[in-house]
Amino acid sequence: MCTASTSTGPQQIQTPGVVTLAKGSASISVRCTKECYQEGVGVISSSVEPMAAGNIILGGVVGLGVDAMSGAMNKYPDQITITMIPDPACHKSVKPTSGKPKPST
């Protein structure tokens, strides 16, 4: 289970899963948990879409400014991967048995 901390509040994602994010310039932190694994953390970083340069030609500086303030010129990656490491304390090793019955007392 992962939680994405968005500007509108936390969003829970059952993995593997899909979440739709509104365009924005803010990075989004993600925390994932699973029994017997250390917590996985990551950040979804926003980047400027290539079409923002075209907005300067069509909309001028005003259009670019509006898109920059609203986050419309930004996008998040289509996919992210959060690596989770098994918790060695959780995976207790079991001593192998010889297969011989134990004598009763």
Side-chain angles (χ1 to χ4, degrees), residues 67-81:
D67 283 355
M69 289 182 64
S70 69
M73 64 187 275
N74 298 89
K75 72 175 260 179
Y76 293 107
D78 294 331
Q79 178 177 318
I80 65 162
T81 300

Side-chain angles (χ1 to χ4, degrees), residues 3 11 14 33 49 51 53 79 86 93:
T3 303
Q11 290 193 28
Q14 180 69 39
T33 58
E49 289 196 89
M51 69 177 211
Q79 178 177 318
S93 61

Side-chain angles (χ1 to χ4, degrees), residues 98-104:
S98 65
K100 297 178 185 175
K102 292 183 179 181
S104 58

Side-chain angles (χ1 to χ4, degrees), residues 20-103:
T20 302
L21 300 170
K23 288 185 176 189
S25 59
S27 294
I28 297 173
S29 64
V30 179
R31 292 190 174 285
C32 299
T33 58
K34 183 176 179 176
E35 186 177 351
C36 293
Y37 283 82
Q38 296 174 9
E39 182 178 73
V41 294
V43 174
I44 304 172
S45 298
S46 178
S47 61
V48 176
E49 289 196 89
M51 69 177 211
N55 197 7
I56 294 173
I57 297 167
L58 298 174
V61 176
V62 173
L64 182 64
V66 169
D67 283 355
M69 289 182 64
S70 69
M73 64 187 275
N74 298 89
K75 72 175 260 179
Y76 293 107
D78 294 331
Q79 178 177 318
I80 65 162
T81 300
I82 306 290
T83 303
M84 298 181 72
I85 300 169
D87 184 353
C90 186
H91 299 285
K92 297 178 181 175
S93 61
V94 178
K95 293 182 181 179
T97 60
S98 65
K100 297 178 185 175
K102 292 183 179 181

